């Protein structure tokens, strides 16, 4: 019962380098999300995908791109990493979109990816 | 704009004592409210949610939360704390078509 799997768990980058965080879920969920967690700021939504083939910006999308490769996978790319992107990144999924009125949605989170940009 | 406030960065309680982690929200319309817990080096785990109905919601691990519409609060409670309850707790809220908004988190420390 894997749930949401993120890779890598840890990564150190130099300023200007690029990298991609991978996320996969095996729960047949429609919606997937990328959050970042910073001390004192809680979780902030970077991008989300309400369904396969669609992506939308969240609160803090600048400096990031995403790809919803298929229903299972949702990747987050940093094209030119900056020290301000040092954070812990979480991928999550849910059965429905947060922008629907279909009821309260429970998010299932991955274990997180700790990224340090020097 | 929607917002969730967790006024305490940390809550300290002795094992066996009752605990309360506070949350207030500001959303338009009828809210859906959630509590998630994060153990060290882990992702967030769902604890409980309020949709409608009874103001007292029961969740996992003996936790419960009380919805108070007049005070726009959704405080997390447990009658008897365990050392293993020590973790970071997040309150979250949404309404209708709005995105889920998280509070900044409250660290719960239960001492033996």
């Amino acid at each position: 019962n894997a749930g949401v799997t993120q890779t890598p768990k840890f990564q150190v980058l130099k300023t200007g380098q690029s990298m991609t965080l991978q996320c996969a879920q095996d729960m047949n969920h429609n919606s997937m999300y990328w959050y970042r967690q910073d001390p004192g700021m809680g979780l902030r939504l970077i991008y989300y995908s309400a369904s396969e083939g669609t992506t939308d910006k969240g609160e803090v999308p600048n400096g990031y791109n995403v790809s919803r490769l298929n229903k299972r996978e949702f990747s987050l790319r940093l094209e030119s990493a900056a020290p301000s992107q040092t954070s812990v990144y979480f991928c999550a999924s849910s059965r429905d979109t947060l922008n629907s009125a279909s009821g309260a949605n429970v998010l299932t989170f991955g274990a997180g990816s700790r990224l340090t940009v020097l | 704009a929607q917002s969730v406030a967790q006024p305490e960065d940390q809550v300290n309680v002795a094992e066996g004592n009752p605990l309360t982690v506070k949350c207030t929200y500001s959303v338009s319309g009828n809210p859906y409210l959630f509590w998630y817990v994060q153990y060290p080096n882990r992702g967030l785990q769902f604890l409980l949610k309020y949709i409608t109905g009874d103001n007292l919601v029961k969740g996992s691990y003996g936790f419960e939360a009380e919805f108070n519409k007049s005070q726009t609060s959704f405080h997390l409670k447990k009658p008897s704390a365990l050392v293993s309850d020590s973790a970071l707790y997040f309150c979250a809220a949404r309404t209708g078509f709005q995105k889920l908004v998280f509070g900044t988190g409250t660290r719960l420390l239960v001492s033996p």
Side-chain angles (χ1 to χ4, degrees):
Chain A
N1 219 9
V4 177
T5 303
Q6 292 180 232
T7 56
K9 292 189 185 304
F10 302 94
Q11 184 73 47
V12 179
L13 293 176
K14 294 181 179 178
T15 297
Q17 288 185 318
S18 62
M19 76 157 298
T20 299
L21 299 176
Q22 307 285 356
C23 175
Q25 52 92 8
D26 61 1
M27 297 169 286
N28 202 35
H29 282 170
N30 294 317
S31 301
M32 297 185 73
Y33 314 90
W34 276 106
Y35 287 89
R36 59 178 289 172
Q37 182 181 21
D38 302 291
M41 304 193 75
L43 274 78
R44 293 181 291 169
L45 183 63
I46 305 171
Y47 270 95
Y48 68 100
S49 171
S51 61
E52 186 178 354
T54 67
T55 60
D56 284 287
K57 295 178 181 179
E59 301 172 63
V60 289
N62 292 344
Y64 305 95
N65 285 304
V66 291
S67 296
R68 183 75 181 266
L69 305 171
N70 48 55
K71 191 170 186 179
R72 290 187 62 249
E73 298 172 287
F74 188 41
S75 63
L76 178 72
R77 183 162 179 82
L78 287 69
E79 291 290 353
S80 179
S84 61
Q85 294 178 305
T86 293
S87 187
V88 180
Y89 292 85
F90 288 98
C91 178
S93 69
S94 68
R95 182 170 300 173
D96 297 304
T97 172
L98 284 173
N99 275 339
S100 77
S102 62
N105 306 305
V106 174
L107 271 62
T108 300
F109 284 83
S113 299
R114 185 175 295 275
L115 175 65
T116 301
V117 182
L118 303 174
Chain B
Q2 296 189 132
S3 65
V4 173
Q6 294 182 243
E8 302 153 316
D9 290 336
Q10 182 162 313
V11 170
N12 298 304
V13 64
E15 188 173 33
N17 284 355
L19 68 88
T20 299
V21 181
K22 296 179 180 177
C23 171
T24 59
Y25 63 89
S26 175
V27 299
S28 55
N30 295 319
Y32 300 136
L33 299 165
F34 304 80
W35 277 101
Y36 286 83
V37 59
Q38 183 181 29
Y39 297 103
N41 301 313
R42 303 285 296 276
L44 278 69
Q45 299 176 29
F46 168 73
L47 268 183
L48 51 81
K49 66 182 178 183
Y50 171 81
I51 305 174
T52 186
D54 288 341
N55 290 340
L56 187 64
V57 178
K58 294 189 183 296
S60 307
Y61 312 119
F63 283 93
E64 58 190 26
E66 186 171 10
F67 171 65
N68 188 316
K69 188 172 184 178
S70 63
Q71 297 185 2
T72 61
S73 67
F74 189 56
H75 300 332
L76 181 70
K77 300 181 179 183
K78 188 174 182 181
S80 179
L82 299 172
V83 173
S84 57
D85 292 330
S86 297
L88 188 57
Y89 290 81
F90 288 96
C91 182
R94 67 171 281 255
T95 57
F97 291 89
Q98 300 300 314
K99 297 180 182 60
L100 190 65
V101 176
F102 284 88
T104 53
T106 298
R107 188 165 300 281
L108 174 66
L109 184 59
V110 182
S111 55

